[in-house]
Amino acid sequence: MSLDHILLGILRKPANGYAIKQAFDEVFSHFWAAKLSQIYRTLKRLEAQGALISRSAPSEKGPDKRIYNITPKGRRQLRDWLTRGPDIGEERCSYLAQIFFLGELNDLQKSLEFMSGLEAELRRKLGVLRAVEAYWRSSDPGYPDRLNPEDFHAQLTLQMGLTKTAALVKWAEQSVSRISKRLEKKPV
Amino acid sequence: MSLDHILLGILRKPANGYAIKQAFDEVFSHFWAAKLSQIYRTLKRLEAQGALISRSAPSEKGPDKRIYNITPKGRRQLRDWLTRGPDIGEERCSYLAQIFFLGELNDLQKSLEFMSGLEAELRRKLGVLRAVEAYWRSSDPGYPDRLNPEDFHAQLTLQMGLTKTAALVKWAEQSVSRISKRLEKKPV
DNA sequence: GCGCACATGTAAATCGTTACATGATTCG
DNA sequence: CGAATCATGTAACGATTTACATGTGCGC
């Protein structure tokens, strides 16, 4: 599914598994997480399918690296995925499922703790995204509308993260205050 | 993972697999999708683990139903999941990954079509959520802050859907206009 | 010498999708 | 009588997680 395509997209520039994992944790984890073991296996499968090729290279630190690169076949797969329109209905958010069922605990104090924790986490995430934006804006005079095509599209996803996370922070804040009001009316 | 817990949450009230699938498509698909075949297998596994029990019952239409219900053991599992705080970092959104790599096509016309399609889909989704809210508000005088605990928490997730989707529509709209401006400067 | 970052993998189990298989009832 | 809805499942494959296994180089 998507992991395949994300790896193909990353590997338009050569990289090894370990470095891909780091890119994932920084950039892609906002919309798709992956473990190292899964990345290694998927790279092997994609190479067996002819979408990638690899070579071995020495490392400055630690053992040899296996450097992967996209092939013309892989590039076609990537373009097919991009051409067939948005993959919708693949979204997931498990903390929302938790909130949906939180009434089961029948303990508003616990609901409040849950939502406060979530709010803090969302604020932290928003802070990270704003820092990324601030740095980009200060270091690139073309930001945000005179970037090259690659960076322009990446900026659209950053903008989405900013817009969405800011909305979620507001929602979480409001939810915390609504739960607090219910608590005042029905004290423990 | 989460599917287990969502099924346990639903099965605090008795239901059969087919009916659960319908609930999924209406309510839960916004944050977690599941196919019928997966639901049936998961129900069997959860019953084998002692988290659910089932009985057979005749149907008005079609073959007998297998009605599942949560057990005390299953309820403990559900409560554990709710008590251990928000499951973060499990979010997924594959269309965002597509946008990130859309520069690969190097064709702003295609980027524009992609984002316009996404915008339309997000507007449609927002319309559905608003209709759900309008109906709930008109049929329940306690909406939204004097609902019972179950419904209050479900309303928090509806509110999140409304807030988030409205923000995404704005972002998509803005993105469409930013891409249009780039197109004007560099016509095909 | 210990722990951390670098670096790559395998094995087993579970999760999830797709395709296949079956059959009753209802509506047009 | 054909299609849609109701109803339950199996088989095969692919995706994902968790645990295990190995070894280098650097800083404290």
Side-chain angles (χ1 to χ4, degrees), chain A residues 8-87:
Chain A
L8 292 173
I10 293 172
L11 289 171
R12 291 174 300 166
K13 289 177 185 166
N16 62 313
Y18 194 85
I20 292 171
K21 169 61 174 165
Q22 290 173 325
F24 249 92
D25 290 345
E26 275 171 40
V27 183
F28 300 96
S29 62
H30 299 293
F31 37 88
W32 203 283
K35 310 270 164 151
L36 249 184
S37 62
Q38 195 194 354
I39 291 172
Y40 282 126
R41 288 161 116 265
T42 307
L43 290 172
K44 289 217 158 182
R45 181 167 48 75
L46 289 173
E47 185 170 28
Q49 286 171 11
L52 296 176
I53 38 163
S54 73
R55 59 190 163 82
S56 191
S59 166
E60 310 82 55
K61 293 180 172 188
D64 282 3
K65 300 172 174 186
R66 179 149 297 275
I67 311 282
Y68 287 87
N69 240 293
I70 197 168
T71 63
K73 185 174 174 183
R75 203 172 273 265
R76 278 197 299 277
Q77 283 178 31
L78 175 61
R79 287 165 160 270
D80 284 350
W81 176 59
L82 296 172
T83 309
R84 71 177 186 228
D87 271 357

Side-chain angles (χ1 to χ4, degrees), chain A residues 113-133:
Chain A
E113 283 161 28
F114 190 100
M115 285 301 306
S116 301
L118 183 56
E119 187 191 338
E121 190 53 39
L122 291 167
R123 279 187 195 283
R124 194 196 57 75
K125 197 173 163 180
L126 184 58
V128 171
L129 293 172
R130 284 185 174 156
V132 170
E133 199 204 16

Side-chain angles (χ1 to χ4, degrees), chain B residues 126-145:
Chain B
L126 185 58
V128 171
L129 292 172
R130 283 186 174 153
V132 169
E133 199 204 16
Y135 178 76
W136 196 352
R137 187 186 293 281
S138 73
S139 64
D140 190 332
Y143 187 92
D145 277 316

Side-chain angles (χ1 to χ4, degrees), chain A residues 91-155:
Chain A
E91 293 129 283
R92 279 187 180 187
C93 182
S94 56
Y95 67 74
L96 257 196
Q98 289 176 299
I99 295 168
F100 189 90
F101 292 119
L102 216 48
E104 162 69 18
L105 294 181
N106 203 25
D107 180 341
L108 277 176
Q109 193 58 50
K110 290 210 170 120
S111 298
L112 186 67
E113 283 161 28
F114 190 100
M115 285 301 306
S116 301
L118 183 56
E119 187 191 338
E121 190 53 39
L122 291 167
R123 279 187 195 283
R124 194 196 57 75
K125 197 173 163 180
L126 184 58
V128 171
L129 293 172
R130 284 185 174 156
V132 170
E133 199 204 16
Y135 177 74
W136 198 351
R137 186 185 294 280
S138 72
S139 63
D140 190 334
Y143 188 93
D145 276 314
R146 279 167 295 120
L147 297 167
N148 65 54
E150 290 296 325
D151 287 350
F152 174 73
H153 288 90
Q155 202 278 333

